[in-house]
Amino acid sequence: MSDTKVDHVVIPGTFDPVTYGHLDVVKRAHRMFPRVTVGVAASATKHGTGPVFSLEERVCMIEEALDELALADAVDVSPFSGLLVDFCHEVGARGVVKGLRAMTDFEYELQQADLNSHMAPDLESIFVMSSPEYGYVSSSIVREMASLGADVSFLVPNVVSERLRERFGM
Ligand code: PNS
């Protein structure tokens, strides 16, 4: 473990697409740490066929959502491929922040945090409990609802609702 202060954190994810749950974690990390970078993983093989939205689209939607929240100047958004720990070192971050919803998140996140800590003991893994109103929100639920024609505007920012409508032809 390093005794250097954690002054810059990465919030990593696939963000396919970004939800109000993710943005809640970003807002809270922004309150706690001087510098926040949202790291958008290429995740090319996720769900077998890869993400629904391209890496550029996912980055763009986050930037526009941060703009709506007046956080665009305070939070960086950057794509990455390869290991999260390497990306953190590249941007000079000393910690990783993730949101935890139910217990089902816990085992997966603990495994990731253990592996990351093994590969990069200098990086701290920090978890924030999701706000109760966003505990059930996930990108996969948003994708499924949108593909079935449901209105998801209470789960995602306007920019995302619009892109989902275009993608699923609603
Ligand atoms: O929002 P997600 O899709 O659950 O985020 C998962 C993510 C992107 C954070 C995770 O898959 C990740 O860290 N990917 C980068 C590759 C990596 O470092 N894998 C080993 C972690 S132990």
Side-chain angles (χ1 to χ4, degrees), residues 164-170:
L164 284 164
R165 260 195 297 276
E166 287 165 18
R167 184 57 47 100
F168 293 110
M170 294 131 56

mmCIF file with all atom_site columns, all heavy atoms in Angstrom, residues 164-170:
data_model
loop_
_atom_site.group_PDB
_atom_site.id
_atom_site.type_symbol
_atom_site.label_atom_id
_atom_site.label_alt_id
_atom_site.label_comp_id
_atom_site.label_asym_id
_atom_site.label_entity_id
_atom_site.label_seq_id
_atom_site.pdbx_PDB_ins_code
_atom_site.Cartn_x
_atom_site.Cartn_y
_atom_site.Cartn_z
_atom_site.occupancy
_atom_site.B_iso_or_equiv
_atom_site.pdbx_formal_charge
_atom_site.auth_seq_id
_atom_site.auth_comp_id
_atom_site.auth_asym_id
_atom_site.auth_atom_id
_atom_site.pdbx_PDB_model_num
ATOM 1  N N   . LEU A 1 164 ? -31.162 5.874  -27.827 1.00 0.00 ? 164 LEU A N   1
ATOM 2  C CA  . LEU A 1 164 ? -31.818 4.566  -27.718 1.00 0.00 ? 164 LEU A CA  1
ATOM 3  C C   . LEU A 1 164 ? -33.001 4.495  -28.685 1.00 0.00 ? 164 LEU A C   1
ATOM 4  O O   . LEU A 1 164 ? -33.237 3.471  -29.321 1.00 0.00 ? 164 LEU A O   1
ATOM 5  C CB  . LEU A 1 164 ? -32.285 4.315  -26.283 1.00 0.00 ? 164 LEU A CB  1
ATOM 6  C CG  . LEU A 1 164 ? -31.184 3.924  -25.285 1.00 0.00 ? 164 LEU A CG  1
ATOM 7  C CD1 . LEU A 1 164 ? -31.678 4.091  -23.851 1.00 0.00 ? 164 LEU A CD1 1
ATOM 8  C CD2 . LEU A 1 164 ? -30.707 2.494  -25.510 1.00 0.00 ? 164 LEU A CD2 1
ATOM 9  N N   . ARG A 1 165 ? -33.723 5.616  -28.789 1.00 0.00 ? 165 ARG A N   1
ATOM 10 C CA  . ARG A 1 165 ? -34.885 5.657  -29.699 1.00 0.00 ? 165 ARG A CA  1
ATOM 11 C C   . ARG A 1 165 ? -34.408 5.432  -31.140 1.00 0.00 ? 165 ARG A C   1
ATOM 12 O O   . ARG A 1 165 ? -34.989 4.656  -31.891 1.00 0.00 ? 165 ARG A O   1
ATOM 13 C CB  . ARG A 1 165 ? -35.613 7.011  -29.594 1.00 0.00 ? 165 ARG A CB  1
ATOM 14 C CG  . ARG A 1 165 ? -36.861 6.931  -28.708 1.00 0.00 ? 165 ARG A CG  1
ATOM 15 C CD  . ARG A 1 165 ? -37.756 8.133  -28.902 1.00 0.00 ? 165 ARG A CD  1
ATOM 16 N NE  . ARG A 1 165 ? -37.114 9.380  -28.522 1.00 0.00 ? 165 ARG A NE  1
ATOM 17 C CZ  . ARG A 1 165 ? -37.070 9.860  -27.279 1.00 0.00 ? 165 ARG A CZ  1
ATOM 18 N NH1 . ARG A 1 165 ? -37.654 9.200  -26.301 1.00 0.00 ? 165 ARG A NH1 1
ATOM 19 N NH2 . ARG A 1 165 ? -36.466 10.981 -27.017 1.00 0.00 ? 165 ARG A NH2 1
ATOM 20 N N   . GLU A 1 166 ? -33.281 6.099  -31.492 1.00 0.00 ? 166 GLU A N   1
ATOM 21 C CA  . GLU A 1 166 ? -32.743 5.920  -32.851 1.00 0.00 ? 166 GLU A CA  1
ATOM 22 C C   . GLU A 1 166 ? -32.318 4.467  -33.055 1.00 0.00 ? 166 GLU A C   1
ATOM 23 O O   . GLU A 1 166 ? -32.603 3.842  -34.067 1.00 0.00 ? 166 GLU A O   1
ATOM 24 C CB  . GLU A 1 166 ? -31.501 6.794  -33.060 1.00 0.00 ? 166 GLU A CB  1
ATOM 25 C CG  . GLU A 1 166 ? -31.774 8.266  -33.210 1.00 0.00 ? 166 GLU A CG  1
ATOM 26 C CD  . GLU A 1 166 ? -30.493 9.096  -33.033 1.00 0.00 ? 166 GLU A CD  1
ATOM 27 O OE1 . GLU A 1 166 ? -29.386 8.529  -33.143 1.00 0.00 ? 166 GLU A OE1 1
ATOM 28 O OE2 . GLU A 1 166 ? -30.614 10.301 -32.757 1.00 0.00 ? 166 GLU A OE2 1
ATOM 29 N N   . ARG A 1 167 ? -31.621 3.912  -32.030 1.00 0.00 ? 167 ARG A N   1
ATOM 30 C CA  . ARG A 1 167 ? -31.053 2.569  -32.161 1.00 0.00 ? 167 ARG A CA  1
ATOM 31 C C   . ARG A 1 167 ? -32.119 1.489  -32.280 1.00 0.00 ? 167 ARG A C   1
ATOM 32 O O   . ARG A 1 167 ? -32.021 0.575  -33.057 1.00 0.00 ? 167 ARG A O   1
ATOM 33 C CB  . ARG A 1 167 ? -30.138 2.298  -30.949 1.00 0.00 ? 167 ARG A CB  1
ATOM 34 C CG  . ARG A 1 167 ? -29.388 0.988  -30.980 1.00 0.00 ? 167 ARG A CG  1
ATOM 35 C CD  . ARG A 1 167 ? -28.536 0.865  -32.251 1.00 0.00 ? 167 ARG A CD  1
ATOM 36 N NE  . ARG A 1 167 ? -27.763 2.047  -32.544 1.00 0.00 ? 167 ARG A NE  1
ATOM 37 C CZ  . ARG A 1 167 ? -26.485 2.187  -32.277 1.00 0.00 ? 167 ARG A CZ  1
ATOM 38 N NH1 . ARG A 1 167 ? -25.825 1.197  -31.726 1.00 0.00 ? 167 ARG A NH1 1
ATOM 39 N NH2 . ARG A 1 167 ? -25.841 3.297  -32.578 1.00 0.00 ? 167 ARG A NH2 1
ATOM 40 N N   . PHE A 1 168 ? -33.167 1.648  -31.450 1.00 0.00 ? 168 PHE A N   1
ATOM 41 C CA  . PHE A 1 168 ? -34.194 0.593  -31.417 1.00 0.00 ? 168 PHE A CA  1
ATOM 42 C C   . PHE A 1 168 ? -35.434 0.968  -32.216 1.00 0.00 ? 168 PHE A C   1
ATOM 43 O O   . PHE A 1 168 ? -36.449 0.274  -32.155 1.00 0.00 ? 168 PHE A O   1
ATOM 44 C CB  . PHE A 1 168 ? -34.540 0.227  -29.970 1.00 0.00 ? 168 PHE A CB  1
ATOM 45 C CG  . PHE A 1 168 ? -33.391 -0.434 -29.250 1.00 0.00 ? 168 PHE A CG  1
ATOM 46 C CD1 . PHE A 1 168 ? -32.713 0.218  -28.238 1.00 0.00 ? 168 PHE A CD1 1
ATOM 47 C CD2 . PHE A 1 168 ? -32.979 -1.724 -29.595 1.00 0.00 ? 168 PHE A CD2 1
ATOM 48 C CE1 . PHE A 1 168 ? -31.645 -0.392 -27.584 1.00 0.00 ? 168 PHE A CE1 1
ATOM 49 C CE2 . PHE A 1 168 ? -31.920 -2.349 -28.956 1.00 0.00 ? 168 PHE A CE2 1
ATOM 50 C CZ  . PHE A 1 168 ? -31.238 -1.666 -27.951 1.00 0.00 ? 168 PHE A CZ  1
ATOM 51 N N   . GLY A 1 169 ? -35.348 2.111  -32.918 1.00 0.00 ? 169 GLY A N   1
ATOM 52 C CA  . GLY A 1 169 ? -36.423 2.501  -33.828 1.00 0.00 ? 169 GLY A CA  1
ATOM 53 C C   . GLY A 1 169 ? -37.768 2.665  -33.162 1.00 0.00 ? 169 GLY A C   1
ATOM 54 O O   . GLY A 1 169 ? -38.767 2.171  -33.679 1.00 0.00 ? 169 GLY A O   1
ATOM 55 N N   . MET A 1 170 ? -37.817 3.326  -31.997 1.00 0.00 ? 170 MET A N   1
ATOM 56 C CA  . MET A 1 170 ? -39.111 3.526  -31.324 1.00 0.00 ? 170 MET A CA  1
ATOM 57 C C   . MET A 1 170 ? -39.725 4.859  -31.762 1.00 0.00 ? 170 MET A C   1
ATOM 58 O O   . MET A 1 170 ? -39.068 5.742  -32.176 1.00 0.00 ? 170 MET A O   1
ATOM 59 C CB  . MET A 1 170 ? -38.910 3.571  -29.807 1.00 0.00 ? 170 MET A CB  1
ATOM 60 C CG  . MET A 1 170 ? -38.450 2.258  -29.240 1.00 0.00 ? 170 MET A CG  1
ATOM 61 S SD  . MET A 1 170 ? -37.032 2.475  -28.155 1.00 0.00 ? 170 MET A SD  1
ATOM 62 C CE  . MET A 1 170 ? -37.663 3.652  -27.001 1.00 0.00 ? 170 MET A CE  1
#
